[in-house]
Amino acid sequence: MTEQSPTRLRILEPPREQIEDLFERKPKRRWMKWCLFLLLILVGLILVSPSLFCQTRLRDYLLARVLPSEVGSLQIESLDVGWFTPLSLSQAQFVDPTGKPLLQVNRIVGDKTLLDLAQSPFDLGTIVVSQPRVFLELRRDGSNLEDTLEKLANAFPVTSENTPDPSPEESSETAFGGKLKIENGELLVNDLTNQSSWQIQALHTEVTIPQKAEQPWLATTQGTLDGHTFGLEFSSALGLATETWPLGPDGSVQLAADHLPVTPLRYIAHR
């Protein structure tokens, strides 16, 4: 009977270089996973940030911070805008510092999403303002609207010092372009100069703002005053970047009126 030799197991160890590579790869893979995770969180926050702004108290807080109290306050009941959703705003009201309403808007709708504006930031598309109401108080030295515009200009000053002259290509471009439509608006006027009041109803206005300064601004409006319908057409190359603003580069304005009421013109002539 022959004796069997004991079985010997030989353990093959991988080279030391492979072991070191194996332990060095794990931290790298974990780092890549963390980077990918943080990137996904960042993309998610960017996608939902418009909704967070529109549907939380953050909207009211930011509006209050942006608009100084001495100018007035802006109140918005509903606001919706997103990367793939166009602007939709309802029940907005601007109140002056004394608590009197200056502007009320039932609804504002745009046709551009945030993604569209990111791709073409100077094209605002078409914005439709439905059923706006403007409460105007006229004085011999001004109006509540002029007071608000002056306060806005002081709160957000625009200085042109040390600004290089634009090139011919840049000077032909305005800041923004698009179309503004006003549907079924009202202008309620309290004329303190003669203790009278009047209002313009069924006001429909369309304003086309070109992106080229040499192209004319076009505006058409129609409404009713004291039961009489009137119409007005305006055309002028305003040229916001020119010294002759608001009359445009050539200083010309084309104005066509149809049954224009005299009542609003009395205050304009007095001023």
Side-chain angles (χ1 to χ4, degrees):
M1 188 172 182
T2 59
E3 294 183 0
Q4 295 181 355
S5 59
T7 304
R8 295 182 179 179
L9 298 178
R10 184 179 181 183
I11 300 176
L12 298 177
E13 295 182 357
R16 186 177 182 84
E17 294 78 7
Q18 294 183 5
I19 297 177
E20 293 178 354
D21 292 342
L22 182 62
F23 282 97
E24 289 179 357
R25 287 175 188 172
K26 289 184 178 181
K28 291 183 178 179
R29 290 180 179 177
R30 291 177 182 176
W31 177 253
M32 292 177 61
K33 290 180 179 179
W34 276 108
C35 289
L36 181 59
F37 178 71
L38 293 177
L39 180 61
L40 291 176
I41 291 180
L42 180 61
V43 172
L45 289 175
I46 293 175
L47 290 176
V48 302
S49 58
S51 300
L52 292 176
F53 172 75
C54 295
Q55 301 177 8
T56 63
R57 294 182 179 179
L58 179 63
R59 176 195 65 198
D60 299 331
Y61 173 78
L62 292 178
L63 289 176
R65 297 289 295 179
V66 171
L67 198 62
S69 58
E70 62 271 14
V71 175
S73 62
L74 180 61
Q75 304 166 3
I76 301 175
E77 181 176 318
S78 176
L79 175 63
D80 185 21
V81 65
W83 295 105
F84 308 101
T85 305
L87 170 68
S88 178
L89 182 151
S90 61
Q91 302 300 324
Q93 178 177 242
F94 180 83
V95 181
D96 65 14
T98 64
K100 296 181 179 179
L102 177 60
L103 174 65
Q104 293 177 347
V105 177
N106 183 43
R107 187 174 177 82
I108 299 177
V109 178
D111 63 351
K112 294 287 187 179
T113 65
L114 290 180
L115 187 60
D116 295 332
L117 294 176
Q119 295 174 346
S120 301
F122 299 111
D123 184 8
L124 299 180
T126 301
I127 299 176
V128 181
V129 182
S130 301
Q131 298 179 343
R133 304 182 71 191
V134 179
F135 301 87
L136 199 60
E137 287 190 358
L138 305 181
R139 309 183 307 268
R140 293 189 180 276
D141 60 344
S143 65
N144 58 342
L145 178 60
E146 293 174 81
D147 296 341
T148 301
L149 294 178
E150 183 179 359
K151 292 177 181 178
L152 280 173
N154 294 332
F156 304 99
V158 178
T159 58
S160 59
E161 297 180 359
N162 301 325
T163 301
D165 295 334
S167 62
E169 292 79 8
E170 294 176 341
S171 61
S172 64
E173 298 285 343
T174 58
F176 299 100
K179 183 175 292 186
L180 175 65
K181 292 184 178 180
I182 298 176
E183 297 180 346
N184 199 21
E186 284 186 277
L187 179 62
L188 295 89
V189 180
N190 183 19
D191 193 344
L192 301 178
T193 60
N194 54 14
Q195 302 300 319
S196 64
S197 61
W198 46 273
Q199 58 183 349
I200 297 178
Q201 297 177 319
L203 188 64
H204 296 270
T205 303
E206 182 172 317
V207 181
T208 301
I209 305 173
Q211 289 186 287
K212 297 289 186 178
E214 64 271 11
Q215 295 177 350
W217 287 42
L218 304 175
T220 60
T221 184
Q222 63 179 10
T224 59
L225 176 63
D226 298 331
H228 301 284
T229 303
F230 67 91
L232 187 65
E233 294 183 2
F234 170 87
S235 175
S236 175
L238 294 181
L240 296 182
T242 64
E243 296 180 356
T244 52
W245 186 86
L247 296 181
D250 55 358
S252 64
V253 174
Q254 295 180 2
L255 190 64
D258 182 20
H259 298 88
L260 187 65
V262 179
T263 304
L265 298 179
R266 294 174 180 171
Y267 178 78
I268 297 176
H270 174 76
R271 291 298 305 277

